[in-house]
Amino acid sequence: MSNPTPTITVMGATGHTGGKIAARLLAAGANVRALGRNPDKLAALERAGAEVLAGDTCDPAFLARVFRGADAVYTLLATDRRAADYRARQDQEGEAIAEALRASGVRHVVALSSLGADVAEGTGVIAGLHAQEERLKRIAGIHLLLLRPVSFFENVYDALGQIKEAGVMADTVEPDIAVPMIAADDIAQVAAQALLASDWTGVAVRELLGQRDLSHSEVARILGGRIGKPGLAYVQLSEDEMSGAMIEAGLSPSFAALYLEMTRAFNEGRVGPSAGRNAANTTATRFEDFAEEFARVYAAI
Ligand SMILES: NC(=O)c1ccc[n+]([C@@H]2O[C@H](COP(=O)([O-])OP(=O)(O)OC[C@H]3O[C@@H](n4cnc5c(N)ncnc54)[C@H](OP(=O)(O)O)[C@@H]3O)[C@@H](O)[C@H]2O)c1
């Protein structure tokens, strides 16, 4: 990018990836437009020097306004696990983003997607990201980088209460299947570097597999060891048990069904990288490093 102080719009700036991307861009001296919906949650980014913009990312007029004039944009579909029709929510936000990109004339777009987004159906939540990839690919004149990580380390924060109260971790993924898991900050590092450089043309895909593949049993073992619960076990639930627990926790039946379809795809080996692990798709942060941060959060609750 020729502009030494580029202006970069970051969606989901109070979320896992967007927050870390915004911080990295600010540290690099970029002008950051940080998007969220809650001004209180955006305040720290404002203090750090970002222009913060609260609005609804399903509103194409809001998005076009905050995209216009930016040198590059980071997009994602927010995870609204309470949406009555989760897939319709993904499509609504995806359409709004695409419409706003067309209206704004932004040239470089880094979009968060997922491993498995090459497949159109049978992968639950990820199929909505496939649809978004296809929508973005149809926009004339943009240079699009699709980032395809899979399970974020940060997902284990969802199990904090379960670990504290029941002393187990539970999900429907088979205990010993190893899947690529990644720190959100490793995604942020790749995204921020691409947004700053804006040095690719056309449509590019980057799979991000984290430092190594991990099984849920190994995750429980590492976390248990770090938080003083060495016997912490991972328990595989039936789909009915998992669905019941998710709905009881306030998530929508629609999201629960898509989540279960996704974990079924993991168990059946239908979500994976296009090629083997290599230096380009492997990132640095070990789960053991993340476990230190998790332990601090765990100790504070
Ligand atoms: N978790 C995984 O393992 C994984 C793996 C691959 C891909 N993905 C994909 O990653 C995406 C989520 O990214 P993330 O984890 O970085 O984000 P996140 O932590 O889920 O945060 C979502 C962000 O979007 C904001 N937001 C939500 N609804 C909004 C609305 N209506 N208007 C404006 N802002 C809104 C949230 O603001 P608030 O702070 O106000 O909530 C937050 O900043 C999803 O598309 C998911 O499918 C996730």
Side-chain angles (χ1 to χ4, degrees):
M1 183 177 283
S2 51
N3 185 348
T5 51
T7 296
I8 298 171
T9 300
V10 179
M11 291 184 68
T14 53
H16 292 311
T17 58
K20 292 178 165 63
I21 292 169
R24 284 177 171 275
L25 295 175
L26 287 167
N31 298 315
V32 175
R33 294 178 185 165
L35 268 54
R37 59 184 159 178
N38 181 338
D40 292 342
K41 286 175 78 176
L42 287 162
L45 278 167
E46 187 164 36
R47 285 193 297 277
E51 179 186 359
V52 300
L53 298 141
D56 184 356
T57 50
C58 288
D59 174 359
F62 166 70
L63 288 178
R65 192 154 39 81
V66 298
F67 289 172
R68 194 166 290 125
D71 295 287
V73 169
Y74 176 72
T75 72
L76 54 74
L77 297 184
T79 311
D80 184 354
R81 297 185 293 183
R82 290 169 192 261
D85 183 339
Y86 186 86
R87 177 54 193 268
R89 172 71 175 68
Q90 284 179 307
D91 286 340
Q92 187 192 5
E93 188 178 21
E95 295 285 358
I97 292 168
E99 187 181 330
L101 286 172
R102 274 192 295 269
S104 66
V106 165
R107 301 275 290 160
H108 280 91
V109 179
V110 175
L112 179 60
S113 185
S114 174
L115 223 56
D118 52 322
V119 179
E121 53 191 27
T123 56
V125 174
I126 300 173
L129 300 176
H130 168 85
Q132 180 63 357
E133 286 197 359
E134 296 306 306
R135 232 175 248 125
L136 296 176
K137 283 185 203 168
R138 287 194 294 272
I139 302 173
I142 64 166
H143 304 297
L144 173 66
L145 173 60
L146 299 167
L147 298 182
R148 289 187 184 158
V150 71
S151 290
F152 298 178
F153 291 171
E154 285 74 6
N155 292 345
V156 300
Y157 284 124
D158 292 342
L160 270 171
Q162 199 180 53
I163 296 172
K164 201 104 195 176
E165 284 149 32
V168 294
M169 297 182 76
D171 206 325
T172 47
V173 178
E174 287 179 19
D176 296 319
I177 285 187
V179 294
M181 294 191 195
I182 187 166
D185 195 45
D186 284 359
I187 303 168
Q189 184 179 11
V190 172
Q193 195 257 326
L195 289 160
L196 290 165
S198 290
D199 55 358
W200 76 95
T201 56
V203 177
V205 176
R206 179 109 188 245
E207 294 180 342
L208 296 171
L209 308 187
Q211 186 259 343
R212 68 183 193 274
D213 292 3
L214 287 154
S215 71
H216 281 53
S217 297
E218 190 179 0
V219 162
R221 208 161 40 242
I222 295 168
L223 290 182
R226 193 59 201 78
I227 61 172
K229 282 184 184 282
L232 182 66
Y234 170 75
V235 177
Q236 184 183 8
L237 300 181
S238 70
E239 291 198 358
D240 282 350
E241 287 168 329
M242 185 70 186
S243 174
M246 291 173 83
I247 292 166
E248 199 182 310
L251 311 188
S252 70
S254 158
F255 177 76
L258 291 172
Y259 182 84
L260 292 176
E261 187 176 287
M262 179 177 72
T263 56
R264 214 176 299 140
F266 287 146
N267 287 340
E268 292 168 3
R270 290 186 283 110
V271 176
S274 58
R277 184 175 278 285
N278 56 48
N281 60 28
T282 297
T283 61
T285 309
R286 300 175 320 139
F287 190 77
E288 287 79 355
D289 305 326
F290 166 81
E292 299 293 320
E293 174 193 314
F294 180 87
R296 280 192 293 278
V297 176
Y298 183 81
I301 61 166

